[in-house]
Amino acid sequence: MLTSLRYLAGTAGPSGFGSRATAEEATAGCGDLRHVTAIITGATSGIGAETARVLAKRGARLVLPARSLKAAEDARARLRAECPGADVVVLPLDLSSLASVRRFVARFLALGLPLNLLVNNAGKYADRFAVSEDGVEMTFATNYLGHFLLTRLLLEKMAETARATGVEGRIVNVSSTIHSWFAGDDAIGYLDRVTCRKIPYDPTKAYALSKLANVLHTRALAERLREMNANVTANCVHPGIVRTRLIRDRDGLVTDTVFFLASKLLKTIPQAAATTCYVAVHPAVAGVSGKYFADCNEASPSRLGASSEEAAKLWSFSANITAEKVQKMGVHVSAGGFRLQVQSSNADRGMALA
């Protein structure tokens, strides 16, 4: 109850910020960010676009991966209109395609740029069941698995940049409080069953599972970074409930009525981007890793989200199905679990969730 009242009032927490803080306010004390090169997925609209705008305003160089290159070019034009001289690179990426993720990383590394910050922000809510070209349920593939591989392939570059510059690298995974809506104890088993159509597809549960995977990924990733002795941290955030394109795609009388009645609980996009920006660049978060943040303050994830055992299981599972030798054959879910299946890839050679 007290937490809800603090949220409604926008009361500041230990960080000095609360639910009503904006991204610009949360980064006001961060100084010049011209030394920062950041990759931000899903930066052509919503929270990702606001995150990109605020970081560009502070001087950061941005790399915007996008499925729609036109949308990315438009986003770059908007950024340069507000921040003349902004250094913005656009590259193609389809997060639902593991082959596309590998191509994006190869293109980025070929640019010879440093990498200080990775914001895994892109998200998808799929009303209808679909599988990716790799045979994985589409919401899980886009929101989590693509980001898992992207992060893993960029880890060495981030560690190398941190060593060369002495500047801490940061990885921010954008999750959601909805991760707590997945109450089962067998996330991988559920993914298997839903992909095999052994149980009905529930879009909300699928989304919740993908957001839980983001939380567990953060926990396991922080441990890997410690083992690497890398000067890189990993944290995840709940941005708050905001009517972004992800929700607007579900317009209708019921949705409109619910959002009207809940309007006092909703954040604006600048407020929703505050926690991401705070965790990404604020000095107070230096050295903090493996944590879950909401309203610019540390918070507690669900019981399942706090499980180191589940995090380790998901990491092992994800590493196995994204292994390059596996991808050459393809991945398919069968009644007995994920197995190999020869299949051709028809992924768009230059696409990503924007």
Side-chain angles (χ1 to χ4, degrees):
M1 182 65 172
L2 182 58
T3 300
S4 297
L5 291 174
R6 284 177 175 168
Y7 174 85
L8 289 170
T11 304
S15 69
F17 302 104
S19 62
R20 299 308 174 198
T22 66
E24 288 203 31
E25 291 168 347
T27 58
C30 296
D32 194 322
L33 298 179
R34 279 181 289 186
H35 63 285
V36 171
T37 297
I39 293 176
I40 307 172
T41 68
T44 61
S45 66
I47 296 169
E50 177 66 3
T51 300
R53 185 189 72 83
V54 170
L55 295 185
K57 188 173 182 178
R58 306 287 182 221
R61 175 196 287 127
L62 304 181
V63 178
L64 308 185
R67 184 174 62 185
S68 167
L69 289 180
K70 182 181 184 307
E73 293 288 357
D74 290 345
R76 176 162 61 182
R78 290 193 299 271
L79 288 169
R80 287 179 171 170
E82 180 168 349
C83 311
D87 190 350
V88 183
V89 177
V90 168
L91 290 174
L93 169 64
D94 178 356
L95 281 164
S96 73
S97 163
L98 298 177
S100 178
V101 172
R102 292 183 185 282
R103 288 193 294 271
F104 167 81
V105 172
R107 286 168 175 149
F108 172 75
L109 294 178
L111 296 176
L113 297 174
L115 181 58
N116 310 91
L117 173 62
L118 173 61
V119 180
N120 292 320
N121 165 81
K124 178 185 183 70
Y125 184 102
D127 278 324
R128 298 180 181 178
F129 175 80
V131 294
S132 71
E133 68 177 38
D134 301 296
V136 181
E137 189 278 315
M138 188 64 80
T139 304
F140 188 85
T142 305
N143 294 1
Y144 165 68
L145 199 61
H147 281 129
F148 172 86
L149 181 60
L150 176 67
T151 303
R152 190 166 66 83
L153 295 178
L154 291 171
L155 276 187
E156 187 51 48
K157 168 55 71 173
M158 294 196 72
E160 174 190 304
T161 299
R163 283 194 300 269
T165 63
V167 177
E168 178 184 82
R170 297 188 186 184
I171 299 167
V172 183
N173 290 329
V174 178
S175 181
S176 168
T177 190
I178 292 173
H179 83 272
S180 64
W181 294 9
F182 186 87
D185 287 324
D186 185 8
I188 296 171
Y190 172 80
L191 180 64
D192 181 7
R193 292 190 297 275
V194 74
T195 306
C196 293
R197 308 304 294 270
K198 295 174 69 175
I199 56 175
Y201 175 70
D202 179 337
T204 300
K205 192 166 186 178
Y207 183 76
L209 173 60
S210 73
K211 296 290 100 178
L212 172 63
N214 295 147
V215 177
L216 293 172
H217 177 215
T218 302
R219 193 172 190 85
L221 178 59
E223 181 60 31
R224 295 307 187 284
L225 289 166
R226 282 190 286 270
E227 291 173 357
M228 290 170 60
N229 197 31
N231 185 22
V232 180
T233 63
N235 292 289
C236 62
V237 304
H238 164 53
I241 306 301
V242 57
R243 199 169 194 191
T244 64
R245 191 181 68 182
L246 186 110
I247 299 297
R248 289 198 301 271
D249 287 344
R250 295 176 55 79
D251 273 348
L253 178 60
V254 174
T255 302
D256 290 343
T257 301
V258 168
F259 272 88
F260 173 75
L261 295 175
S263 61
K264 294 298 182 183
L265 300 176
L266 298 180
K267 288 187 175 185
T268 64
I269 288 177
Q271 290 169 344
T275 306
T276 300
C277 290
Y278 174 79
V279 174
V281 299
H282 201 283
V285 190
V288 177
S289 195
K291 302 298 183 181
Y292 176 79
F293 285 78
D295 301 328
C296 299
N297 288 275
E298 283 190 38
S300 298
S302 68
R303 177 190 61 80
L304 200 56
S307 170
S308 295
E309 181 181 353
E310 288 299 317
K313 283 168 55 179
L314 180 64
W315 181 282
S316 178
F317 166 79
S318 305
N320 285 337
I321 67 170
T322 58
E324 194 162 17
K325 62 181 179 181
V326 172
Q327 289 311 302
K328 288 178 180 178
M329 298 186 71
V331 180
H332 180 70
V333 182
S334 70
F338 280 83
R339 63 177 173 80
L340 298 181
Q341 171 179 295
V342 177
Q343 61 182 34
S344 60
S345 170
N346 59 358
D348 185 321
R349 297 257 163 202
M351 302 194 58
L353 181 70

